Amino acid sequence: MTRELLKRCDNKCELCSSESKLASYELPDSKGYGDARIMICDTCTGQIQDRSTIDMNHWRCLNDSMWSQVPAVQVMAYRMLKQISEEAWARDLLDMLYLDDDMQAWGDAGIEEVDEDFVPHRDSNGAIIEAGDNVVIIKDLNVKGTTFTAKRGTTVRGISLTNNPEHIEGRVNGTRIVILTCYVKKVPLSEE
């Protein structure tokens, strides 16, 4: 079976075209819809299985893979686009993607219910911040209850999220503090 999948995908991830660490992945909630197996890389697998690790820029690859002739690939592209539909480019791709009624039902069967009240944490530029991200403070901040100032340009590594989407937590000068998201910017992965 895996040999057939590798031949079909030409030894490339069927979602992002990566050639590293490929494995067969079966789309959940696919009973009765036909062959639900696709060949994807470990990066795609990890982000599909743990939504907190989703890197929006990685999924721009769906611009190509959503046109696949393989139904399971189209359905997986649809599911991922629905999950990241807060991004304007993802909504645009969803508007372009056509699935017949059966494929639409298959795609919708595997989409997790999204909490309508969920508001993502966003930095000063509007980029979504996730737990574990690194951010840079963009303004000198007086830290209440301490004798120091969190200086502009300080990198805060491995932040934690709070229940308030306008607050994050992180360590500065060895002290865990709450920081307003409007005073930080996310450090791109390429700069970490």
Side-chain angles (χ1 to χ4, degrees):
M1 286 296 181
T2 302
R3 189 176 298 145
E4 293 170 18
L5 283 174
L6 285 170
K7 185 176 179 183
R8 178 182 82 193
C9 72
D10 194 26
N11 293 315
K12 293 180 183 170
C13 175
E14 291 185 278
L15 296 177
C16 74
S17 300
S18 171
E19 295 179 7
S20 66
K21 297 183 183 177
L22 299 177
S24 175
Y25 177 82
E26 186 160 346
L27 277 67
D29 302 310
S30 296
K31 191 171 185 175
Y33 290 107
D35 187 3
R37 291 171 300 117
I38 60 176
M39 188 62 73
I40 58 176
C41 66
D42 61 337
T43 302
C44 289
T45 302
Q47 293 186 38
I48 289 169
Q49 293 175 342
D50 183 1
R51 287 181 55 187
S52 69
T53 64
I54 289 179
D55 173 13
M56 298 299 179
N57 285 325
H58 174 78
W59 293 105
R60 289 182 182 268
C61 62
L62 297 176
N63 186 44
D64 296 323
S65 56
M66 71 184 214
W67 303 111
S68 171
Q69 297 300 309
V70 178
V73 175
Q74 286 183 326
V75 167
M76 192 67 237
Y78 170 77
R79 289 179 180 181
M80 286 308 300
L81 287 169
K82 288 289 272 191
Q83 280 191 20
I84 60 174
S85 62
E86 70 269 8
E87 298 288 325
W89 62 265
R91 284 192 306 275
D92 291 343
L93 292 180
L94 271 173
D95 289 343
M96 289 189 284
L97 180 60
Y98 171 77
L99 299 177
D100 63 31
D101 293 340
D102 289 341
M103 296 232 328
Q104 181 86 36
W106 182 10
D108 289 337
I111 296 176
E112 297 175 17
E113 289 298 317
V114 177
D115 181 1
E116 295 295 328
D117 296 330
F118 174 74
V119 177
H121 289 68
R122 293 185 183 271
D123 72 3
S124 60
N125 296 326
I128 294 176
I129 308 171
E130 301 287 345
D133 283 347
N134 297 335
V135 296
V136 173
I137 297 173
I138 62 170
K139 175 185 176 187
D140 286 352
L141 301 173
N142 292 325
V143 181
K144 292 181 182 176
T146 69
T147 58
F148 72 90
T149 299
K151 295 288 185 187
R152 176 178 174 232
T154 301
T155 300
V156 182
R157 300 188 181 285
I159 63 159
S160 299
L161 303 182
T162 67
N163 291 334
N164 183 339
E166 295 178 1
H167 296 163
I168 59 170
E169 291 182 355
R171 288 201 177 277
V172 176
N173 293 346
T175 303
R176 188 158 195 82
I177 63 171
V178 174
I179 308 168
L180 293 174
T181 56
C182 62
Y183 297 128
V184 298
K185 84 176 175 181
K186 184 176 180 175
V187 176
L189 290 175
S190 61
E191 295 179 18
E192 290 183 358

